[in-house]
Amino acid sequence: MLTAKEKLDELLSLGIELNQLNDLDILLEKILRDARRFVNADAGSIYICRKDILDFTYTQNDTLQRRLPTGEKLIYSTFSMPINTDSIAGYMATTGELLNIPDVYQLSPDVPYSFSKKFDESAGYTTRSMVTLPLKNTRGDILGILQIINAQDENGDVIPFATDDETLMLHFASIAAVALERAQMTRAILLRMIRMAEMRDPKETGAHVNRVGGYSIEIFEKWAERHGLDEKEIESGRDSLRMAAMLHDVGKVAISDLILKKPGKFSSDERELMKQHTVLGAQLFLQAQSDFDEAAREVAFNHHERWDGDGYPGHVDIATGEPLPDRQRHDGTARGKKGEEIPLFGRIVALADVYDALSSARVYKEAWSEADVLETIKAEAGAQFDPETVDIFLSRIDVLRAIQERYSEA
Ligand code: C2E
Ligand code: SIN
Ligand code: SIN
Ligand code: FE
Ligand code: FE
């Protein structure tokens, strides 16, 4: 358990840490984990407000987690409820005030809300003490609700939440809310960009970009583990890479329909024009401000480079697309980047993208069988692909298959 001094120190560094995370899912995970650690709570949930509705969005529960085999994720169903005074979360959303309940099974008869036993009964869990507090932005709008469940003493016995901790929890929530609002805005804008790319190129569906994002962070995590990156570097890398990978082909929005939607094989001129989608995409993130912008630029720019140096666009100036003066072939074209000249995120997404492109049907090709796909990828280790990413890819193929299934074409 944390001492009061430790809590204050943590609170001070928290705002900085939370504001470095852009990905909404990863942010919710961290907000809840930190909030629970602050007050030594067994479980907790986050609800997100949407007009008059509360969406139960995310939950953690150490007791239920311990009943699962190690490494397995807690499965929970998301649900929505109206914001009114019938429920505890709804009541809190109405009043906007922190609610500290010592025992939800012994509510005073005067209160308008009641505790729903549904979750406890289906999960085989007993909720007792509960703090419910608002995630308010700087204008005072409630973005969501943080619900922290079952404070524990040093023996692990459930106790009420200390009233002394309420101020600290409110402070924590206001820091978290600022980060949450920013992540929600970033995600909304990026999802619009992805949707725009989809409208231009309906064959590159949302499912495709979700898969490429999923495969990429899976490969990255394993790579990061092998190379001894620390937990923070992994978390922030995952966070940036996921959305960056989803935007790998965003430069295709600037490619003419005649080329983009051609129902057959490209001529060599058409292929040259299509190659510009890398530089065009990277240009959208040229004024890199955040780690995410940098990752998105790196991915768009480098996802068609090849490990053996025969990829594109090679050593060109992002702003102009022109070959860099000292990196040209004899014919004046840009030399391809080679080996570790290609940034890691580019090497990872190159593999994730081709794995998905080969496994899917396109206007210009049929889907390949998994055996053919894997054979090609193995054969291209050290040629088209970084051999280490291929190695990781093959060792994680079962997880990649699960991602493929989860985001299959409807
Ligand atoms: P995409 O369909 O997402 O494919 C991404 C990458 O997967 C391709 O990059 C290529 O490396 C690999 N790939 C896809 N299909 C095949 C295949 O049948 N055989 C092999 N060996 N590799 C394959 P690439 O070639 O640079 O193409 C970039 C994008 O250009 C493609 O993205 C697609 O949108 C478009 N494209 C490429 N060739 C053609 C074509 O012949 N016709 C049309 N209509 N579009 C094409
Ligand atoms: C998001 O909020 O999910 C998008 C931003 C990012 O992943 O970096
Ligand atoms: C995550 O970002 O934590 C989820 C990974 C996935 O969706 O494949
Ligand atoms: Fe591409
Ligand atoms: Fe693609």
Side-chain angles (χ1 to χ4, degrees):
M1 276 202 258
L2 301 176
T3 65
K5 166 83 171 70
E6 282 168 345
K7 284 180 186 175
L8 269 180
D9 287 347
E10 292 231 348
L11 206 53
L12 287 174
S13 56
L14 190 74
I16 302 168
E17 278 181 33
L18 289 183
N19 275 298
Q20 285 164 347
L21 292 181
N22 286 310
D23 186 86
L24 194 55
D25 297 326
I26 295 171
L27 184 68
L28 293 178
E29 189 180 308
K30 182 163 172 63
I31 288 174
L32 193 53
R33 190 167 5 97
D34 286 354
R36 290 171 45 230
R37 203 159 51 90
F38 250 64
V39 289
N40 200 36
D42 187 47
S45 304
I46 294 180
Y47 298 75
I48 300 290
C49 292
R50 178 165 50 95
K51 293 197 186 123
D52 306 331
I53 305 275
L54 273 180
D55 291 325
F56 177 89
T57 306
Y58 185 63
T59 195
Q60 291 170 353
N61 188 309
D62 283 350
T63 296
L64 296 180
Q65 186 71 53
R66 270 194 300 272
R67 294 184 197 155
L68 297 174
T70 37
E72 213 153 289
K73 286 188 179 161
L74 195 64
I75 309 281
Y76 54 90
S77 45
T78 54
F79 59 89
S80 301
M81 56 196 203
I83 296 183
N84 60 35
T85 57
D86 294 351
S87 67
I88 295 174
Y91 176 82
M92 204 247 73
T94 315
T95 65
E97 303 297 328
L98 178 146
L99 204 57
N100 187 350
I101 303 175
D103 185 345
V104 291
Y105 283 88
Q106 315 234 348
L107 293 176
S108 144
D110 312 332
V111 300
Y113 49 83
S114 59
F115 172 68
S116 162
K117 303 182 183 70
K118 254 188 303 185
F119 172 83
D120 275 10
E121 280 164 2
S122 69
Y125 185 75
T126 307
T127 303
R128 288 285 173 202
S129 57
M130 176 187 278
V131 164
T132 309
L133 71 167
L135 294 162
K136 273 189 213 167
N137 69 10
T138 44
R139 289 185 306 283
D141 310 322
I142 300 180
L143 306 175
I145 287 177
L146 191 57
Q147 195 158 63
I148 314 288
I149 291 166
N150 286 354
Q152 296 168 311
D153 64 17
E154 50 282 346
N155 303 321
D157 294 325
V158 173
I159 52 172
F161 287 90
T163 43
D164 279 356
D165 279 341
E166 289 178 8
T167 317
L168 212 57
M169 281 193 266
L170 282 169
H171 207 81
F172 175 96
S174 67
I175 294 171
V178 173
L180 181 64
E181 183 166 50
R182 206 182 42 98
Q184 284 179 329
M185 283 165 59
T186 310
R187 168 167 291 194
I189 290 169
L190 292 179
L191 290 179
R192 265 177 229 134
M193 284 177 78
I194 291 167
R195 230 170 282 139
M196 204 163 76
E198 255 178 77
M199 287 176 193
R200 284 298 322 286
D201 187 4
K203 288 288 174 281
E204 294 262 322
T205 59
H208 167 65
V209 296
N210 269 306
R211 288 191 301 262
V212 174
Y215 304 148
S216 296
I217 56 175
E218 191 57 42
I219 297 169
F220 169 71
E221 269 179 328
K222 196 78 197 166
W223 188 96
E225 248 171 59
R226 283 195 187 186
H227 289 257
L229 269 62
D230 69 38
E231 209 178 302
K232 284 227 169 70
E233 291 169 309
I234 297 179
E235 195 171 74
S236 82
R238 245 169 57 115
D239 178 56
S240 304
L241 177 56
R242 163 119 169 204
M243 277 283 162
M246 290 177 80
L247 287 163
H248 68 278
D249 273 338
V250 71
K252 285 183 181 173
V253 296
I255 302 293
S256 131
D257 265 1
L258 289 176
I259 293 175
L260 197 60
K261 295 182 179 157
K262 176 171 179 172
K265 294 273 179 201
F266 279 163
S267 69
S268 63
D269 285 352
E270 288 164 342
R271 178 163 293 279
E272 285 313 304
L273 285 169
M274 175 56 105
K275 285 181 178 178
Q276 293 175 357
H277 81 277
T278 51
V279 176
L280 293 167
Q283 285 172 352
L284 293 174
F285 305 99
L286 192 53
Q287 274 88 35
Q289 284 164 343
S290 62
D291 287 353
F292 165 73
D293 293 304
E294 207 172 299
R297 196 188 51 204
E298 201 171 290
V299 165
F301 198 34
N302 295 293
H303 73 279
H304 288 293
E305 297 292 350
R306 293 172 52 109
W307 186 255
D308 61 14
D310 284 341
Y312 64 88
H315 291 284
V316 300
D317 184 336
I318 295 185
T320 63
E322 293 301 319
L324 294 174
D326 49 343
R327 307 275 175 88
Q328 297 178 9
R329 299 192 176 95
H330 296 303
D331 63 0
T333 58
R335 259 199 289 119
K337 292 177 192 158
K338 191 173 179 163
E340 289 182 358
E341 284 176 358
I342 309 163
L344 177 66
F345 285 178
R347 277 146 44 207
I348 290 174
V349 175
L351 175 56
D353 183 33
V354 172
Y355 170 52
D356 202 62
L358 297 181
S359 307
S360 316
R362 290 279 197 264
V363 272
Y364 63 97
K365 62 174 273 290
E366 300 287 317
W368 295 18
S369 73
E370 192 192 74
D372 288 347
V373 174
L374 294 187
E375 194 186 321
T376 298
I377 286 175
K378 278 183 214 167
E380 293 290 344
Q384 186 168 2
F385 307 120
D386 173 358
E388 184 171 12
T389 60
V390 173
D391 200 42
I392 293 170
F393 169 89
L394 295 171
S395 76
R396 305 294 286 164
I397 189 67
D398 48 339
V399 182
L400 301 181
R401 271 190 206 119
I403 295 171
Q404 193 161 45
E405 225 148 88
R406 182 156 135 214
Y407 297 111
S408 60
E409 243 83 18

